[in-house]
Amino acid sequence: MKITIKEMIVRNFKGISNFELVPKDLYTDIRGDNGTGKTSLYDAFLWCLFGKNSQDQADTKFDWKPLDKDGQERHHLETFVNLELDIDGVAKAFSRSIAEKWTKKRGSIKESFEGHTTTYHIDGLKVTQKDYKAAIEQLGGEQLFQMLTKVNYFAEVMKADDRRKILLEMAGDVSQEDVIKANKELASLPKILDGKTVEERTALVKQSMRQINQDIKQLPGRIDEAQRSLPDIEELDK
């Protein structure tokens, strides 16, 4: 599958008021000084598809709203990103928009902020979030897009368990026995494991540790109870 960007329109996203990117060649470079919006464009690309930024943060965790000259959020604006892709020669457009919800309660002269509303479109047709995600998943999914479009995503952003899974899929898995045979320092490990996997033995050890910690916390109470149960021998002649 070959996917290229035909056009990207960004409105009111972070520091971008209105921007249109139309790549004219197969390879397009976006250059600029620090703080001029290069990362914001990539964030807009990922936000349109997945609702996240380049740090893998959902839009509830990063600041996507435009700011005024005093550094305060600008309200009553719709944030919109439209991404038109060429997928094996077929044009496909995905757009995501998010707008504030303001309501004026009865008897009040001021509007109150009630949250946000996100809208999704595919080729101009309004769809549900579920259908939007399903359509993008057919193109390879979020993880693949991130790996192909962000050079440090695999090494710095992706979770360690996900990295391990992908590496094992590429290189093939190794058995527990292979690892033990390859390292003499692990020769005693089979006896320690006693027929269990490393994960199972680790879980058992952690369970034992939790129980021991609970017992330690209860020791002062048990000592006090034992002391109170001792017979009174103060009046006895030694």
Side-chain angles (χ1 to χ4, degrees), residues 42 46 50 140-155 158 162-163 166-167 169-170:
Y42 181 52
L46 294 176
F50 314 111
E142 176 181 349
Q143 194 175 76
L144 182 60
F145 265 86
Q146 293 261 30
M147 285 193 294
L148 292 176
T149 57
K150 185 179 173 96
V151 293
N152 64 332
Y153 177 77
F154 182 84
M158 184 183 291
D162 292 336
R163 282 202 303 269
I166 290 175
L167 288 173
E169 287 176 353
M170 295 170 60

Side-chain angles (χ1 to χ4, degrees), residues 15-215:
I16 303 173
S17 296
N18 193 4
F19 185 83
E20 183 175 351
L21 172 67
V22 183
K24 299 185 181 300
D25 300 308
L26 181 60
Y27 301 102
T28 300
D29 290 333
I30 298 176
R31 304 172 184 269
D33 295 332
N34 291 338
T36 55
K38 302 187 300 298
T39 302
S40 294
L41 276 179
Y42 181 52
D43 286 343
F45 170 82
L46 294 176
W47 180 79
C48 178
L49 295 174
F50 314 111
K52 294 182 179 180
N53 66 359
S54 53
Q55 299 302 313
D56 208 31
Q57 297 170 316
D59 54 19
T60 56
K61 301 295 183 180
F62 75 94
D63 298 325
W64 48 268
K65 289 185 179 181
L67 305 178
D68 59 23
K69 61 181 181 179
D70 297 320
Q72 302 298 314
E73 290 183 353
R74 296 174 61 191
H75 297 291
H76 299 285
L77 294 175
E78 180 186 55
T79 294
F80 170 83
V81 178
N82 183 78
L83 189 61
E84 186 173 347
L85 304 175
D86 183 295
I87 306 169
D88 290 335
V90 178
K92 195 82 172 176
F94 296 91
S95 69
R96 180 190 296 253
S97 60
I98 185 168
E100 297 176 335
K101 292 189 295 183
W102 293 84
T103 58
K104 185 182 292 185
K105 296 180 180 179
R106 182 178 298 178
S108 175
I109 61 174
K110 292 184 178 181
E111 290 183 321
S112 60
F113 175 66
E114 300 293 338
H116 298 92
T117 301
T118 305
T119 307
Y120 309 87
H121 288 84
I122 299 177
D123 291 333
L125 177 66
K126 185 177 180 180
V127 296
T128 64
Q129 182 188 41
K130 180 179 179 181
D131 290 341
Y132 192 81
K133 287 184 175 181
I136 293 173
E137 194 65 28
Q138 291 178 352
L139 303 181
E142 176 181 349
Q143 194 175 76
L144 182 60
F145 265 86
Q146 293 261 30
M147 285 193 294
L148 292 176
T149 57
K150 185 179 173 96
V151 293
N152 64 332
Y153 177 77
F154 182 84
E156 299 178 10
V157 181
M158 184 183 291
K159 295 179 180 178
D161 288 344
D162 292 336
R163 282 202 303 269
R164 181 178 184 275
K165 181 180 178 181
I166 290 175
L167 288 173
L168 290 176
E169 287 176 353
M170 295 170 60
D173 203 350
V174 291
S175 68
Q176 185 171 285
E177 290 73 19
D178 293 332
V179 175
I180 294 172
K181 289 179 181 178
N183 191 339
K184 294 181 179 179
E185 294 181 1
L186 301 178
S188 61
L189 191 56
K191 185 177 180 181
I192 296 173
L193 295 176
D194 191 24
K196 297 179 174 57
T197 64
V198 173
E199 290 78 11
E200 290 171 343
R201 177 55 68 186
T202 301
L204 284 170
V205 171
K206 289 182 177 179
Q207 178 178 284
S208 298
M209 290 172 62
R210 287 193 297 268
Q211 185 60 51
I212 291 171
N213 287 329
Q214 290 177 5
D215 291 343

